[in-house]
Amino acid sequence: MPRIGVLALQGDFREHAISLRDAGAVSISFVKNPQDLQTIDALLIPGGESTAMSKLAKAFEVLEPIRDLIAKGMPVYGSCAGMIMLASKLVDGNSDQETFGGLDITVRRNAFGRQVDSFEAQLHAPEIADGEFNAVFIRAPWVEDFSSDVEVLARIESGQHKGAVVAVKQGNVIASSFHPELTNDLRFHKYFIKLVNQPQSLERL
Ligand code: GLN
């Protein structure tokens, strides 16, 4: 049974672990130190504050090891700050802010501006599941640019920011600007568990 690690340096890692459990993941562990990485087959990077997460990843010496695991094909899901941590390029990042990479995307931090620091939007992500998603955005980033290897999973569908890319997939890496772990909608976590369990992911074990 593959074990999913939840990066527990900072942010809402507990909520994600609960969502993973409720979505059917059997083996879940928190990741903080390099040795915690030895027992995981996939990683979830929570929302929080990416500048702090980046600093803590360096301090706890997991930045390089996680980078390597993602580059080798480990399945990963990042939400909000987690999406920022997976980006190859940042707009409005701190000058010394490092990421794990994994997605050939340019992410703009705090993209929706202060006046709408937090909001909810209804959107569709047909690759994940049918029907509407109630997406919760909290000082959220968006994907400003992406390579042809990146699949768009969801966009903002109406209003001022219509068309903004807010969920993407590239190989075994998925990311959302919003926070499914703050709702009781488990479809994103179930999709991630399916990705972890697919034969291509399990070949790595
Ligand atoms: N604005 C935060 C950052 O830059 C992300 C917010 C979140 O994860 N809810 O890291």
Side-chain angles (χ1 to χ4, degrees):
M1 186 53 67
R3 173 176 288 202
I4 302 180
V6 180
L7 189 63
L9 296 172
Q10 192 270 339
D12 70 340
F13 50 86
R14 284 181 198 84
E15 287 79 356
H16 270 294
I18 290 166
S19 293
L20 280 173
R21 183 200 64 194
D22 292 349
V26 175
S27 187
I28 303 164
S29 61
F30 289 124
V31 169
K32 215 166 174 177
N33 298 301
Q35 53 274 32
D36 301 331
L37 292 167
Q38 284 164 11
T39 55
I40 62 161
D41 306 300
L43 183 67
L44 191 154
I45 307 173
E49 176 51 50
S50 60
T51 52
M53 221 182 275
S54 168
K55 277 194 190 118
L56 290 166
K58 267 183 252 177
F60 283 83
E61 296 178 345
V62 292
L63 186 76
E64 291 294 339
I66 291 176
R67 220 175 242 167
D68 291 349
L69 286 169
I70 297 174
K72 285 188 187 131
M74 178 177 69
V76 189
Y77 169 35
S79 83
C80 203
M83 171 192 263
I84 298 170
M85 292 300 295
L86 291 170
S88 51
K89 206 167 155 216
L90 299 183
V91 179
D92 282 348
N94 279 0
S95 56
D96 61 344
Q97 185 171 354
E98 297 209 51
T99 67
F100 300 126
L103 292 170
D104 292 335
I105 57 175
T106 301
V107 164
R108 180 178 290 275
R109 291 183 60 227
N110 304 324
F112 294 94
R114 294 214 170 273
Q115 75 282 15
V116 279
D117 271 350
S118 303
F119 64 100
E120 293 183 21
Q122 308 302 314
L123 46 81
H124 293 81
E127 165 69 21
I128 305 285
D130 292 339
E132 271 194 342
F133 286 78
N134 181 36
V136 176
F137 294 86
I138 303 168
R139 288 185 305 114
W142 69 39
V143 177
E144 191 135 313
D145 200 7
F146 52 91
S147 83
S148 55
D149 297 330
V150 174
E151 187 188 340
V152 173
L153 298 177
R155 292 177 186 265
I156 297 282
E157 294 175 8
S158 60
Q160 194 191 353
H161 299 298
K162 186 174 173 180
V165 174
V166 291
V168 290
K169 176 176 193 287
Q170 182 177 3
N172 280 342
V173 183
I174 57 173
S176 65
S177 304
F178 48 91
H179 292 267
E181 76 285 7
L182 299 182
T183 70
N184 44 28
D185 187 341
L186 298 172
R187 289 176 291 171
F188 244 88
H189 291 83
K190 283 189 176 155
Y191 180 83
F192 180 50
I193 293 167
K194 208 168 80 189
L195 187 74
V196 174
N197 283 313
Q198 73 187 356
Q200 302 94 292
S201 305
L202 295 174
E203 269 167 28
R204 301 177 50 259
L205 304 183

